[in-house]
Amino acid sequence: SVGDATKADVTLDKSFIDSIVKDTNAKLTIKTPFGDKTYTQDELKAMSEAATGSTITVAIEKAAEQPTDEDAAKAEKIAKAKSIVKNMKLVARSSKTAKKNIKAVLKSDAKVKASIKELKDLGFTVKYRFYRSTKKAASYKAAVTKKTAAYTNTSGKKGTKYFYKVQVRVYDENGKLVAKTALKQCKYASRTWGK
């Protein structure tokens, strides 16, 4: 039983190898759960000649799995998503609501709309993560991740100016994050908390 092993050491008697070489023209195939290894007559002969004792140990390793066309297509899609995301130029906008909360949104221009559509057409899920900070250039903390490009901030300190940024996050069909924009790609929005 090899379990999840990817390598097996198989010990053979030198006399057994010698008898195959001497008495037959056969090849030797060692079968393992993760692959078979075949030795030709020449390889067996060399193995026997190189042996220093009465036994020979051979290591059989799991062959690297060949990527399927499906894997290649998936990798290509992810590379495309990363490229789209890398080139996105985002702008955050903010406004005051009737209840004096602050609503932060991603400005939806034609280029951003086209990029989001392209990501969705590739089969990805797009979400928006909103960040808030009291500093213009640093200390942004994630506030919420949503499927819609708008976030209402309902708490703050009176007189404090808050800065908002948004990040586009791209997920595959299994919910795994495959690409995201850098916060520096987004122009901030700012508002002073008034209540």
Side-chain angles (χ1 to χ4, degrees):
S1 171
V2 293
D4 294 328
T6 57
K7 184 180 169 198
D9 287 333
V10 181
T11 303
L12 306 163
D13 286 335
K14 182 176 180 297
S15 57
F16 167 64
I17 301 289
D18 289 343
S19 69
I20 295 176
V21 173
K22 196 169 132 196
D23 304 329
T24 73
N25 288 319
K27 292 175 182 173
L28 172 66
T29 299
I30 299 171
K31 295 190 173 189
T32 72
F34 46 73
D36 301 345
K37 175 80 173 169
T38 300
Y39 296 94
T40 64
Q41 283 272 320
D42 289 342
E43 285 172 327
L44 292 172
K45 204 170 180 179
M47 203 189 284
S48 176
E49 285 167 5
T52 52
S54 60
T55 58
I56 296 166
T57 302
V58 292
I60 299 176
E61 291 192 55
K62 184 178 185 178
E65 287 176 19
Q66 293 302 312
T68 61
D69 289 346
E70 197 180 312
D71 290 338
K74 202 171 175 183
E76 204 175 301
K77 273 188 184 181
I78 289 172
K80 182 97 198 284
K82 284 184 175 174
S83 165
I84 294 168
V85 160
K86 194 179 173 186
N87 293 310
M88 287 176 89
K89 289 180 173 61
L90 307 179
V91 177
R93 289 269 186 263
S94 65
S95 58
K96 276 195 175 154
T97 68
K99 290 182 178 178
K100 294 186 178 176
N101 293 319
I102 306 295
K103 186 178 184 181
V105 298
L106 171 64
K107 183 188 172 193
S108 195
D109 63 19
K111 274 189 177 175
V112 168
K113 268 186 183 168
S115 296
I116 300 287
K117 184 181 183 306
E118 199 175 345
L119 288 165
K120 287 181 176 176
D121 288 346
L122 284 167
F124 294 109
T125 298
V126 177
K127 290 185 183 178
Y128 308 89
R129 180 170 283 186
F130 287 86
Y131 289 79
R132 185 178 89 160
S133 177
T134 52
K135 295 176 191 168
K136 193 184 336 185
S139 304
Y140 281 88
K141 300 267 189 310
V144 68
T145 305
K146 309 177 71 179
K147 276 195 171 182
T148 50
Y151 150 66
T152 303
N153 177 28
T154 57
S155 65
K157 198 173 169 187
K158 193 172 171 67
T160 299
K161 193 175 200 179
Y162 291 103
F163 299 87
Y164 301 90
K165 283 192 175 190
V166 62
Q167 179 186 63
V168 170
R169 297 168 72 84
V170 183
Y171 299 84
D172 67 10
E173 71 275 14
N174 300 314
K176 184 183 167 198
L177 180 68
V178 294
K180 62 183 179 181
T181 57
L183 278 184
K184 64 174 184 277
Q185 278 173 253
C186 182
K187 285 186 181 169
Y188 67 83
S190 63
R191 289 272 160 176
T192 300
W193 194 257
K195 61 175 183 172

